[in-house]
Amino acid sequence: MPTSDRTIRVGTIDVTVRTSNRTTLTVTVTRGGSIIVRGPHSTTDTDAAALVERRRSWIYRQLSRLAETTPDNPRRELIRGAGFDVLGRPHRLHIVPDDDQDEPLIQYRSTPTGGWLHIRRSTTLKLDEARRNIINFYAETGGEWLKLNYPQITRYTPNSSIPVTFSTRMRTTWTHNHPTRGLTLHWATTQLPPTLLHELIHRALNLHTITPSRDLNNALRTLWLGRLSTPTSAVDPRLHLTPAPTDHCPDCSAPPGTLHADRCDIARCAITGFQRAHCHPGNTCNTVWTGELPGEPECTEYGYYCRPTPDGYEPCNADDPGAMHDFNRLYRECRWNPTTQRMTLP
């Protein structure tokens, strides 16, 4: 009997079951991140799923090694939900109609669904314009942060009035310390948490350091440097509001069916369901990118939507103008099920 292939779903993972005249049952992870169970023709879906469950830790270790090879400086797609860190806080992109706001880009720091960057739809039609507006936003945000932290940063320097600015023109260096013009920082460093941004400035000014260099170096290697693209699945800009099921993760570029990168802001903990941030040792709590933002399928199923108003966010229907998934309500009213890897109603 010739070789036969079929696909089954084990949790959130697609598994290929390949049967032949062999007599043993094994599982392998390919370089492309595919999981293949090989066995005799008598192998049932239950047999294959049981093997995957027994080898889950090993499979996750293999997928983690693949995730570590994800290219640095990932490309961001101009789609709703694309992740952008601002001073260490995750924000997501929301494309709004031009009539909803006058500015090309507006930051909403604290909303019921977390941080958002609202960008006008017409701005997303030209990648250069979108990139310029986002980069300028980072530089301006960094300037505002410096106004509050400038005295504390420079009080230990021989010249406490040394100017510190953010530049949108730097390409290959994170900092540049000029004898007379002062310290200039790359705009992308505004993505760092304040503690690491302090550390970077201290390093540039040869001051005392308080954070392990490895933490700062790892964070610098993962900064987004301005690479943008339009969704490959849609030409009509009206379709840019949600990612297609085959899209890679907007933050770490993980392909569907593979684990998120270790520092991905979109990844959720497989044990708690909350944002994953080294909350458990090793890779036991990492999760697989399914092609949809965590919680979106549940919000759609349960009808959890909200929209921005002058007085804050209010509940709304899915077809109301400006409607977006209400993740805060989802986590407030539902509970995480580690077995099914989704939020469930109590």
Side-chain angles (χ1 to χ4, degrees), residues 30-63:
T30 69
R31 291 185 178 181
S34 300
I35 300 170
I36 301 177
V37 171
R38 292 180 171 86
H41 290 298
S42 60
T43 303
T44 65
D45 292 353
T46 301
D47 295 334
L51 176 62
V52 171
E53 290 293 347
R54 289 198 303 271
R55 301 298 306 278
R56 180 178 293 273
S57 296
W58 176 83
I59 292 171
Y60 272 23
R61 288 198 301 272
Q62 303 307 309
L63 292 175

mmCIF file of all heavy atoms in Angstrom, residues 30-63:
data_model
loop_
_atom_site.group_PDB
_atom_site.id
_atom_site.type_symbol
_atom_site.label_atom_id
_atom_site.label_comp_id
_atom_site.label_asym_id
_atom_site.label_seq_id
_atom_site.Cartn_x
_atom_site.Cartn_y
_atom_site.Cartn_z
ATOM 1 N N THR A 30 9.917 19.505 11.060
ATOM 2 C CA THR A 30 10.719 19.881 9.906
ATOM 3 C C THR A 30 11.310 21.273 10.082
ATOM 4 O O THR A 30 10.904 22.030 10.974
ATOM 5 C CB THR A 30 9.876 19.849 8.625
ATOM 6 O OG1 THR A 30 8.911 20.923 8.671
ATOM 7 C CG2 THR A 30 9.136 18.520 8.494
ATOM 8 N N ARG A 31 12.246 21.628 9.211
ATOM 9 C CA ARG A 31 12.850 22.959 9.269
ATOM 10 C C ARG A 31 11.831 24.053 8.996
ATOM 11 O O ARG A 31 11.997 25.190 9.418
ATOM 12 C CB ARG A 31 13.998 23.053 8.260
ATOM 13 C CG ARG A 31 15.206 22.205 8.631
ATOM 14 C CD ARG A 31 16.362 22.440 7.664
ATOM 15 N NE ARG A 31 17.543 21.670 8.053
ATOM 16 C CZ ARG A 31 18.700 21.698 7.406
ATOM 17 N NH1 ARG A 31 18.830 22.472 6.317
ATOM 18 N NH2 ARG A 31 19.721 20.979 7.823
ATOM 19 N N GLY A 32 10.784 23.709 8.287
ATOM 20 C CA GLY A 32 9.740 24.693 8.025
ATOM 21 C C GLY A 32 8.733 24.821 9.147
ATOM 22 O O GLY A 32 7.786 25.601 9.058
ATOM 23 N N GLY A 33 8.912 24.055 10.233
ATOM 24 C CA GLY A 33 8.016 24.143 11.372
ATOM 25 C C GLY A 33 6.838 23.196 11.313
ATOM 26 O O GLY A 33 5.943 23.271 12.162
ATOM 27 N N SER A 34 6.810 22.290 10.326
ATOM 28 C CA SER A 34 5.713 21.329 10.224
ATOM 29 C C SER A 34 5.960 20.157 11.167
ATOM 30 O O SER A 34 7.099 19.737 11.383
ATOM 31 C CB SER A 34 5.582 20.816 8.791
ATOM 32 O OG SER A 34 5.314 21.877 7.894
ATOM 33 N N ILE A 35 4.870 19.620 11.711
ATOM 34 C CA ILE A 35 4.941 18.476 12.614
ATOM 35 C C ILE A 35 4.382 17.263 11.875
ATOM 36 O O ILE A 35 3.244 17.286 11.400
ATOM 37 C CB ILE A 35 4.149 18.744 13.901
ATOM 38 C CG1 ILE A 35 4.726 19.975 14.609
ATOM 39 C CG2 ILE A 35 4.194 17.530 14.826
ATOM 40 C CD1 ILE A 35 3.890 20.461 15.756
ATOM 41 N N ILE A 36 5.190 16.217 11.770
ATOM 42 C CA ILE A 36 4.810 15.032 11.007
ATOM 43 C C ILE A 36 4.888 13.801 11.901
ATOM 44 O O ILE A 36 5.914 13.552 12.541
ATOM 45 C CB ILE A 36 5.720 14.838 9.778
ATOM 46 C CG1 ILE A 36 5.644 16.069 8.855
ATOM 47 C CG2 ILE A 36 5.334 13.581 9.019
ATOM 48 C CD1 ILE A 36 6.569 15.982 7.655
ATOM 49 N N VAL A 37 3.792 13.059 11.974
ATOM 50 C CA VAL A 37 3.759 11.768 12.655
ATOM 51 C C VAL A 37 3.818 10.688 11.588
ATOM 52 O O VAL A 37 2.979 10.651 10.678
ATOM 53 C CB VAL A 37 2.484 11.619 13.510
ATOM 54 C CG1 VAL A 37 2.376 10.193 14.034
ATOM 55 C CG2 VAL A 37 2.502 12.612 14.666
ATOM 56 N N ARG A 38 4.827 9.822 11.684
ATOM 57 C CA ARG A 38 4.984 8.721 10.731
ATOM 58 C C ARG A 38 4.681 7.402 11.431
ATOM 59 O O ARG A 38 5.150 7.171 12.549
ATOM 60 C CB ARG A 38 6.400 8.698 10.161
ATOM 61 C CG ARG A 38 6.730 9.888 9.266
ATOM 62 C CD ARG A 38 8.154 9.790 8.736
ATOM 63 N NE ARG A 38 8.433 10.788 7.723
ATOM 64 C CZ ARG A 38 8.851 12.026 7.972
ATOM 65 N NH1 ARG A 38 9.041 12.405 9.234
ATOM 66 N NH2 ARG A 38 9.080 12.870 6.988
ATOM 67 N N GLY A 39 3.885 6.560 10.767
ATOM 68 C CA GLY A 39 3.540 5.288 11.373
ATOM 69 C C GLY A 39 2.982 4.319 10.355
ATOM 70 O O GLY A 39 2.887 4.622 9.154
ATOM 71 N N PRO A 40 2.586 3.132 10.808
ATOM 72 C CA PRO A 40 2.006 2.132 9.894
ATOM 73 C C PRO A 40 0.604 2.555 9.447
ATOM 74 O O PRO A 40 0.012 3.475 9.997
ATOM 75 C CB PRO A 40 1.947 0.870 10.763
ATOM 76 C CG PRO A 40 1.909 1.384 12.175
ATOM 77 C CD PRO A 40 2.719 2.637 12.181
ATOM 78 N N HIS A 41 0.090 1.887 8.440
ATOM 79 C CA HIS A 41 -1.230 2.235 7.901
ATOM 80 C C HIS A 41 -2.330 2.070 8.943
ATOM 81 O O HIS A 41 -3.407 2.666 8.808
ATOM 82 C CB HIS A 41 -1.533 1.381 6.671
ATOM 83 C CG HIS A 41 -0.697 1.733 5.474
ATOM 84 N ND1 HIS A 41 -0.732 2.970 4.869
ATOM 85 C CD2 HIS A 41 0.219 0.994 4.777
ATOM 86 C CE1 HIS A 41 0.091 3.000 3.850
ATOM 87 N NE2 HIS A 41 0.701 1.810 3.764
ATOM 88 N N SER A 42 -2.091 1.309 9.984
ATOM 89 C CA SER A 42 -3.102 1.108 11.023
ATOM 90 C C SER A 42 -3.161 2.256 12.029
ATOM 91 O O SER A 42 -3.987 2.235 12.942
ATOM 92 C CB SER A 42 -2.822 -0.203 11.767
ATOM 93 O OG SER A 42 -1.534 -0.174 12.369
ATOM 94 N N THR A 43 -2.290 3.257 11.865
ATOM 95 C CA THR A 43 -2.260 4.377 12.807
ATOM 96 C C THR A 43 -3.553 5.164 12.743
ATOM 97 O O THR A 43 -3.974 5.609 11.680
ATOM 98 C CB THR A 43 -1.075 5.316 12.488
ATOM 99 O OG1 THR A 43 0.144 4.575 12.521
ATOM 100 C CG2 THR A 43 -1.019 6.452 13.490
ATOM 101 N N THR A 44 -4.196 5.365 13.899
ATOM 102 C CA THR A 44 -5.425 6.157 13.974
ATOM 103 C C THR A 44 -5.105 7.586 14.375
ATOM 104 O O THR A 44 -3.993 7.887 14.844
ATOM 105 C CB THR A 44 -6.398 5.551 14.997
ATOM 106 O OG1 THR A 44 -5.813 5.657 16.317
ATOM 107 C CG2 THR A 44 -6.688 4.088 14.681
ATOM 108 N N ASP A 45 -6.073 8.471 14.195
ATOM 109 C CA ASP A 45 -5.890 9.854 14.628
ATOM 110 C C ASP A 45 -5.640 9.922 16.132
ATOM 111 O O ASP A 45 -4.856 10.760 16.613
ATOM 112 C CB ASP A 45 -7.117 10.692 14.267
ATOM 113 C CG ASP A 45 -7.278 10.887 12.769
ATOM 114 O OD1 ASP A 45 -6.356 10.486 12.024
ATOM 115 O OD2 ASP A 45 -8.319 11.432 12.342
ATOM 116 N N THR A 46 -6.289 9.062 16.879
ATOM 117 C CA THR A 46 -6.091 9.024 18.330
ATOM 118 C C THR A 46 -4.660 8.629 18.675
ATOM 119 O O THR A 46 -4.039 9.210 19.579
ATOM 120 C CB THR A 46 -7.077 8.031 18.974
ATOM 121 O OG1 THR A 46 -8.412 8.434 18.660
ATOM 122 C CG2 THR A 46 -6.900 8.010 20.488
ATOM 123 N N ASP A 47 -4.117 7.650 17.957
ATOM 124 C CA ASP A 47 -2.730 7.245 18.185
ATOM 125 C C ASP A 47 -1.775 8.409 17.930
ATOM 126 O O ASP A 47 -0.854 8.661 18.720
ATOM 127 C CB ASP A 47 -2.357 6.071 17.266
ATOM 128 C CG ASP A 47 -3.138 4.807 17.570
ATOM 129 O OD1 ASP A 47 -3.577 4.657 18.720
ATOM 130 O OD2 ASP A 47 -3.325 3.995 16.639
ATOM 131 N N ALA A 48 -1.988 9.113 16.808
ATOM 132 C CA ALA A 48 -1.107 10.224 16.445
ATOM 133 C C ALA A 48 -1.215 11.356 17.452
ATOM 134 O O ALA A 48 -0.204 11.939 17.870
ATOM 135 C CB ALA A 48 -1.450 10.710 15.038
ATOM 136 N N ALA A 49 -2.457 11.702 17.860
ATOM 137 C CA ALA A 49 -2.644 12.791 18.819
ATOM 138 C C ALA A 49 -2.015 12.455 20.160
ATOM 139 O O ALA A 49 -1.405 13.315 20.816
ATOM 140 C CB ALA A 49 -4.136 13.082 18.982
ATOM 141 N N ALA A 50 -2.129 11.203 20.583
ATOM 142 C CA ALA A 50 -1.539 10.789 21.858
ATOM 143 C C ALA A 50 -0.014 10.914 21.822
ATOM 144 O O ALA A 50 0.609 11.339 22.801
ATOM 145 C CB ALA A 50 -1.948 9.350 22.180
ATOM 146 N N LEU A 51 0.600 10.558 20.684
ATOM 147 C CA LEU A 51 2.048 10.685 20.560
ATOM 148 C C LEU A 51 2.465 12.146 20.633
ATOM 149 O O LEU A 51 3.452 12.499 21.301
ATOM 150 C CB LEU A 51 2.522 10.061 19.244
ATOM 151 C CG LEU A 51 4.021 10.207 18.943
ATOM 152 C CD1 LEU A 51 4.854 9.508 20.013
ATOM 153 C CD2 LEU A 51 4.341 9.651 17.556
ATOM 154 N N VAL A 52 1.721 13.024 19.943
ATOM 155 C CA VAL A 52 2.040 14.457 19.977
ATOM 156 C C VAL A 52 1.920 15.002 21.395
ATOM 157 O O VAL A 52 2.764 15.783 21.854
ATOM 158 C CB VAL A 52 1.120 15.229 19.015
ATOM 159 C CG1 VAL A 52 1.287 16.739 19.199
ATOM 160 C CG2 VAL A 52 1.415 14.836 17.576
ATOM 161 N N GLU A 53 0.886 14.584 22.127
ATOM 162 C CA GLU A 53 0.723 15.047 23.499
ATOM 163 C C GLU A 53 1.880 14.565 24.372
ATOM 164 O O GLU A 53 2.398 15.328 25.201
ATOM 165 C CB GLU A 53 -0.607 14.550 24.068
ATOM 166 C CG GLU A 53 -1.837 15.198 23.462
ATOM 167 C CD GLU A 53 -1.942 16.676 23.814
ATOM 168 O OE1 GLU A 53 -1.214 17.138 24.722
ATOM 169 O OE2 GLU A 53 -2.736 17.377 23.158
ATOM 170 N N ARG A 54 2.319 13.326 24.189
ATOM 171 C CA ARG A 54 3.431 12.807 24.994
ATOM 172 C C ARG A 54 4.721 13.538 24.689
ATOM 173 O O ARG A 54 5.559 13.732 25.575
ATOM 174 C CB ARG A 54 3.610 11.306 24.733
ATOM 175 C CG ARG A 54 2.514 10.424 25.305
ATOM 176 C CD ARG A 54 2.979 8.960 25.387
ATOM 177 N NE ARG A 54 3.415 8.435 24.093
ATOM 178 C CZ ARG A 54 2.611 7.857 23.216
ATOM 179 N NH1 ARG A 54 1.305 7.741 23.486
ATOM 180 N NH2 ARG A 54 3.080 7.377 22.070
ATOM 181 N N ARG A 55 4.906 13.932 23.437
ATOM 182 C CA ARG A 55 6.156 14.595 23.022
ATOM 183 C C ARG A 55 6.015 16.106 22.947
ATOM 184 O O ARG A 55 6.851 16.771 22.333
ATOM 185 C CB ARG A 55 6.586 14.051 21.654
ATOM 186 C CG ARG A 55 6.822 12.556 21.583
ATOM 187 C CD ARG A 55 7.954 12.102 22.507
ATOM 188 N NE ARG A 55 9.188 12.811 22.304
ATOM 189 C CZ ARG A 55 10.078 12.527 21.348
ATOM 190 N NH1 ARG A 55 9.844 11.516 20.519
ATOM 191 N NH2 ARG A 55 11.180 13.220 21.236
ATOM 192 N N ARG A 56 4.953 16.660 23.571
ATOM 193 C CA ARG A 56 4.689 18.099 23.444
ATOM 194 C C ARG A 56 5.883 18.952 23.858
ATOM 195 O O ARG A 56 6.255 19.900 23.169
ATOM 196 C CB ARG A 56 3.466 18.488 24.277
ATOM 197 C CG ARG A 56 3.122 19.972 24.201
ATOM 198 C CD ARG A 56 1.880 20.282 25.005
ATOM 199 N NE ARG A 56 0.703 19.668 24.405
ATOM 200 C CZ ARG A 56 -0.014 20.246 23.455
ATOM 201 N NH1 ARG A 56 0.342 21.445 22.991
ATOM 202 N NH2 ARG A 56 -1.078 19.659 22.975
ATOM 203 N N SER A 57 6.509 18.653 24.990
ATOM 204 C CA SER A 57 7.654 19.447 25.456
ATOM 205 C C SER A 57 8.789 19.420 24.446
ATOM 206 O O SER A 57 9.406 20.451 24.141
ATOM 207 C CB SER A 57 8.133 18.942 26.819
ATOM 208 O OG SER A 57 7.142 19.116 27.796
ATOM 209 N N TRP A 58 9.074 18.232 23.906
ATOM 210 C CA TRP A 58 10.139 18.124 22.902
ATOM 211 C C TRP A 58 9.772 18.904 21.646
ATOM 212 O O TRP A 58 10.626 19.598 21.061
ATOM 213 C CB TRP A 58 10.372 16.656 22.552
ATOM 214 C CG TRP A 58 11.383 16.448 21.458
ATOM 215 C CD1 TRP A 58 12.730 16.413 21.596
ATOM 216 C CD2 TRP A 58 11.106 16.283 20.059
ATOM 217 N NE1 TRP A 58 13.328 16.226 20.368
ATOM 218 C CE2 TRP A 58 12.348 16.157 19.406
ATOM 219 C CE3 TRP A 58 9.936 16.243 19.312
ATOM 220 C CZ2 TRP A 58 12.446 15.979 18.027
ATOM 221 C CZ3 TRP A 58 10.034 16.066 17.946
ATOM 222 C CH2 TRP A 58 11.266 15.929 17.309
ATOM 223 N N ILE A 59 8.515 18.799 21.213
ATOM 224 C CA ILE A 59 8.068 19.531 20.018
ATOM 225 C C ILE A 59 8.231 21.023 20.227
ATOM 226 O O ILE A 59 8.723 21.749 19.348
ATOM 227 C CB ILE A 59 6.611 19.176 19.678
ATOM 228 C CG1 ILE A 59 6.520 17.722 19.204
ATOM 229 C CG2 ILE A 59 6.046 20.114 18.624
ATOM 230 C CD1 ILE A 59 5.095 17.219 19.042
ATOM 231 N N TYR A 60 7.833 21.528 21.401
ATOM 232 C CA TYR A 60 7.949 22.958 21.677
ATOM 233 C C TYR A 60 9.407 23.409 21.686
ATOM 234 O O TYR A 60 9.727 24.523 21.251
ATOM 235 C CB TYR A 60 7.276 23.296 23.013
ATOM 236 C CG TYR A 60 5.801 23.603 22.888
ATOM 237 C CD1 TYR A 60 5.049 23.129 21.809
ATOM 238 C CD2 TYR A 60 5.142 24.371 23.838
ATOM 239 C CE1 TYR A 60 3.711 23.404 21.685
ATOM 240 C CE2 TYR A 60 3.790 24.653 23.721
ATOM 241 C CZ TYR A 60 3.080 24.162 22.642
ATOM 242 O OH TYR A 60 1.753 24.449 22.530
ATOM 243 N N ARG A 61 10.298 22.536 22.183
ATOM 244 C CA ARG A 61 11.715 22.899 22.157
ATOM 245 C C ARG A 61 12.221 23.033 20.725
ATOM 246 O O ARG A 61 12.990 23.953 20.404
ATOM 247 C CB ARG A 61 12.545 21.860 22.922
ATOM 248 C CG ARG A 61 12.383 21.912 24.427
ATOM 249 C CD ARG A 61 13.524 21.178 25.134
ATOM 250 N NE ARG A 61 13.605 19.775 24.753
ATOM 251 C CZ ARG A 61 12.948 18.798 25.355
ATOM 252 N NH1 ARG A 61 12.141 19.079 26.360
ATOM 253 N NH2 ARG A 61 13.097 17.541 24.964
ATOM 254 N N GLN A 62 11.780 22.111 19.871
ATOM 255 C CA GLN A 62 12.202 22.190 18.470
ATOM 256 C C GLN A 62 11.638 23.439 17.800
ATOM 257 O O GLN A 62 12.339 24.138 17.052
ATOM 258 C CB GLN A 62 11.740 20.937 17.703
ATOM 259 C CG GLN A 62 12.225 19.624 18.288
ATOM 260 C CD GLN A 62 13.730 19.602 18.470
ATOM 261 O OE1 GLN A 62 14.486 19.895 17.555
ATOM 262 N NE2 GLN A 62 14.166 19.245 19.673
ATOM 263 N N LEU A 63 10.361 23.743 18.062
ATOM 264 C CA LEU A 63 9.758 24.937 17.476
ATOM 265 C C LEU A 63 10.400 26.205 18.017
ATOM 266 O O LEU A 63 10.521 27.206 17.299
ATOM 267 C CB LEU A 63 8.248 24.952 17.762
ATOM 268 C CG LEU A 63 7.420 23.873 17.055
ATOM 269 C CD1 LEU A 63 5.975 23.921 17.516
ATOM 270 C CD2 LEU A 63 7.496 24.036 15.539
#
